[in-house]
């Protein structure tokens, strides 16, 4: 079984500031890693995922996450946030082999203010 | 097809009553999932279907909970004899059959309030 820890329940930032949302995972097997985002009054949607290859993955709206195996982390970053990035962000993991469902972290609420 | 739809969006019920939620997945997706989300928590897995077969159930799914996907299309989640602890957002998601790498597409959820 795997577990996902998001250390910050809420991260307030000003517009155009950089942000990092932290995610650590624990698993006895290799995992795939995901970030999902939930905008107000909408369903969760995939932001980006790490499956293999380059440890740095990017989304279409400027977010990036880096897989760090030694630190068992998959932190999400953006160099300059917008008001529209205000949302809850969930880190998730699933084993690479066999079938298993996604295990989510508790989420981090990103609050961007002008 | 515009995505995963769930009905009702919000249900308020008295303790002891039965409630049923419906999920219509994206039409070409053969996998369907139910998750539960409570305040301050991430989504917690409840159960999963591959077509009409229910392949996995979480320990969270007590005997009062039952889920069906009779024709491999829409699914229902029924909670019998509701308790206040059942108050939560119930999320449905669907995906293609692409192993563990595929994207889950979530509905907006059905919020249950048990008084």
């Amino acid at each position: 079984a795997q577990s996902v820890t998001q250390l910050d329940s809420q991260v307030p930032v000003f517009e155009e500031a950089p942000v990092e949302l932290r995610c650590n995972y624990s698993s006895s097997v290799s995992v795939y890693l995901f970030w999902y985002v939930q905008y107000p009054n909408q369903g969760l949607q995939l932001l980006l995922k790490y499956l293999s290859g380059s440890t740095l993955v990017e989304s279409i709206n400027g977010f990036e996450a880096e897989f760090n195996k030694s630190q068992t982390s998959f932190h999400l970053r953006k160099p300059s946030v917008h008001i529209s990035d205000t949302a809850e962000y969930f880190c998730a993991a699933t084993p690479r082999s066999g079938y298993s469902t996604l295990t989510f972290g508790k989420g981090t609420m990103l609050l961007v203010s002008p | 097809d515009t995505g995963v739809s769930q009905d009702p969006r919000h249900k308020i019920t008295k303790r002891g009553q039965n409630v049923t939620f419906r999920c219509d997945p994206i039409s070409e997706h053969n996998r369907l999932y139910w998750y539960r989300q409570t305040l301050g928590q991430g989504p917690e897995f409840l159960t999963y279907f591959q077509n009409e077969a229910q392949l996995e159930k979480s320990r969270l799914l007590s005997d009062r909970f039952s889920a069906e996907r009779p024709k491999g299309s829409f699914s229902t989640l029924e909670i019998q004899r509701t308790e206040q602890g059942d108050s939560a957002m119930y999320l449905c998601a669907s995906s293609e059959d692409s192993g563990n790498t595929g994207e889950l597409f979530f509905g907006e959820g059905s919020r249950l309030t048990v008084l």
Side-chain angles (χ1 to χ4, degrees):
Chain A
Q2 62 276 347
S3 65
V4 177
T5 302
Q6 293 182 247
L7 298 172
D8 305 302
S9 60
Q10 191 168 295
V11 173
V13 294
F14 289 109
E15 194 174 20
E16 299 183 3
V19 70
E20 179 179 80
L21 306 184
R22 296 179 292 172
C23 172
N24 289 87
Y25 68 92
S26 174
S27 178
S28 56
V29 299
S30 296
V31 296
Y32 297 125
L33 294 162
F34 304 79
W35 276 98
Y36 278 78
V37 58
Q38 186 172 27
Y39 297 104
N41 300 313
Q42 295 186 26
L44 280 83
Q45 53 190 280
L46 181 66
L47 184 63
L48 47 77
K49 61 183 177 182
Y50 173 70
L51 303 180
S52 63
S54 172
T55 57
L56 185 67
V57 290
E58 298 177 351
S59 72
I60 58 173
N61 59 351
F63 282 94
E64 64 180 28
E66 187 161 19
F67 169 60
N68 188 318
K69 186 176 181 179
S70 62
Q71 297 185 4
T72 61
S73 68
F74 191 54
H75 301 331
L76 182 69
R77 294 187 289 262
K78 189 170 185 180
S80 176
V81 295
H82 301 289
I83 298 285
S84 59
D85 293 324
T86 294
E88 188 147 26
Y89 293 80
F90 294 93
C91 185
T94 190
R96 288 177 173 268
S97 61
Y99 174 74
S100 184
T101 55
L102 279 175
T103 298
F104 286 89
K106 292 185 177 182
T108 298
M109 185 68 200
L110 176 62
L111 296 167
V112 183
S113 54
Chain B
D1 193 314
T2 56
V4 178
S5 61
Q6 293 188 243
D7 184 72
R9 294 291 308 282
H10 196 176
K11 178 73 176 180
I12 301 172
T13 190
K14 293 182 179 179
R15 188 175 52 188
Q17 298 295 304
N18 299 343
V19 297
T20 299
F21 300 114
R22 176 180 170 124
C23 171
D24 287 273
I26 293 173
S27 58
E28 61 267 26
H29 287 178
N30 54 16
R31 291 186 174 182
L32 186 147
Y33 312 79
W34 286 99
Y35 281 80
R36 182 177 71 182
Q37 186 177 16
T38 52
L39 195 62
Q41 301 293 320
E44 297 172 296
F45 170 73
L46 292 179
T47 190
Y48 148 70
F49 291 84
Q50 175 96 9
N51 300 311
E52 66 275 9
Q54 188 174 20
L55 297 187
E56 188 176 350
K57 293 195 291 186
S58 161
R59 290 172 296 176
L60 293 175
L61 213 64
S62 75
D63 292 344
R64 296 184 297 105
F65 288 70
S66 62
E68 295 182 342
R69 194 183 184 197
K71 297 183 179 179
S73 56
F74 73 92
S75 175
T76 58
L77 177 68
E78 181 183 17
I79 309 173
Q80 296 182 325
R81 305 181 303 281
T82 52
E83 302 173 355
Q84 288 185 327
D86 297 330
S87 294
M89 179 76 86
Y90 291 85
L91 304 175
C92 178
S94 69
S95 73
E96 296 177 338
D97 187 6
S98 52
N100 294 353
T101 63
E103 176 179 356
L104 267 61
F105 292 81
F106 284 84
E108 294 179 353
S110 293
R111 182 172 296 283
L112 173 64
T113 303
V114 181
L115 302 177

